[in-house]
Amino acid sequence: MAEKTRARTGTAKKTTASRRPARQGPEHAARAACQSLERLIDHHTEGVSAVRRGDDGWHVVVDVLEVPRIPDTTSLLASYEVHLDEAGELLEYSRVRRYRRGAADE
């Protein structure tokens, strides 16, 4: 909980701000999806390309470096759809696309 210090007549007084627990937002869902997926598939995540709230949690599309190559533009990446519950726990994931880093979307 957040605490505020307020000075009144030369003395400091602490007050506690009462708030409801914050609902987990898209940033938390994206971070949780990346961390869970990295632990499961043992590949480095490159970023998140989509986050959407569903009726039963979050759906996050995570881009992953699967096969690093030189030059970097020929590396193979994949997009995984990760489904999280409301608390950010992983429910399921699946690879939905694999592509070369230098390839443009079709």
Side-chain angles (χ1 to χ4, degrees):
M1 290 196 172
E3 290 188 351
K4 295 181 182 179
T5 303
R6 185 183 306 162
R8 279 177 52 179
T9 63
T11 62
K13 182 178 177 182
K14 287 187 178 182
T15 60
T16 304
S18 60
R19 284 194 265 172
R20 288 189 320 176
R23 199 170 194 188
Q24 302 296 342
E27 297 90 357
H28 177 264
R31 195 174 307 111
C34 288
Q35 291 170 352
S36 295
L37 193 60
E38 278 187 352
R39 284 193 303 267
L40 282 171
I41 65 173
D42 201 30
H43 289 298
H44 176 71
T45 57
E46 293 279 309
V48 172
S49 53
V51 178
R52 81 175 182 280
R53 182 182 270 296
D55 293 336
D56 55 349
W58 293 94
H59 298 272
V60 183
V61 178
V62 179
D63 299 315
V64 173
L65 176 62
E66 288 199 332
V67 182
R69 292 187 177 156
I70 299 173
D72 192 44
T73 55
T74 62
S75 295
L76 290 179
L77 286 87
S79 295
Y80 285 81
E81 183 161 356
V82 179
H83 183 194
L84 306 171
D85 66 10
E86 290 288 334
E89 295 295 319
L90 180 75
L91 297 175
E92 63 183 18
Y93 75 95
S94 63
R95 185 170 66 189
V96 293
R97 180 174 172 235
R98 199 168 192 201
Y99 57 97
R100 276 194 327 270
R101 184 185 299 274
D105 283 348
E106 298 170 11

